[in-house]
Amino acid sequence: ALNVLSNIVTTSGLSLWPNVLANFVVPNDQKPGTLVQIQPNNLDWVPVSRSQTFTEISVSITDQAMRPVVLRDIAGFQCIISLRRVRD
């Protein structure tokens, strides 16, 4: 299992760790260096910090023990984050 962490997330409810933006299981037949495609790719709406203004959004990947996963792809890591205003 992999976790996607972000500094903007507060108590997502997806984990005991408060900053988990998403989590997923990598298929057993996934070969190292190949594109990880998670199906279905459902959107998880999680709360973000309301009282802060962010000048930077950090995203990282960890394993199920919260150890950093080293990405060695020269193309980097792409993550799309959609933000929406909460209706009061």
Side-chain angles (χ1 to χ4, degrees), residues 60-80:
S60 60
I61 298 178
T62 65
D63 65 11
Q64 64 270 22
M66 301 308 279
R67 297 176 296 220
V69 172
V70 177
L71 301 176
R72 296 187 178 139
D73 189 340
I74 59 171
F77 168 71
Q78 294 182 359
C79 178
I80 298 171

Side-chain angles (χ1 to χ4, degrees), residues 2 24 26-27 29-39 73 75-79:
L2 294 177
F24 55 89
V26 177
D29 60 348
Q30 184 79 39
K31 297 201 184 330
T34 58
L35 180 64
V36 176
Q37 292 185 354
I38 306 304
Q39 297 295 332
D73 189 340
F77 168 71
Q78 294 182 359
C79 178

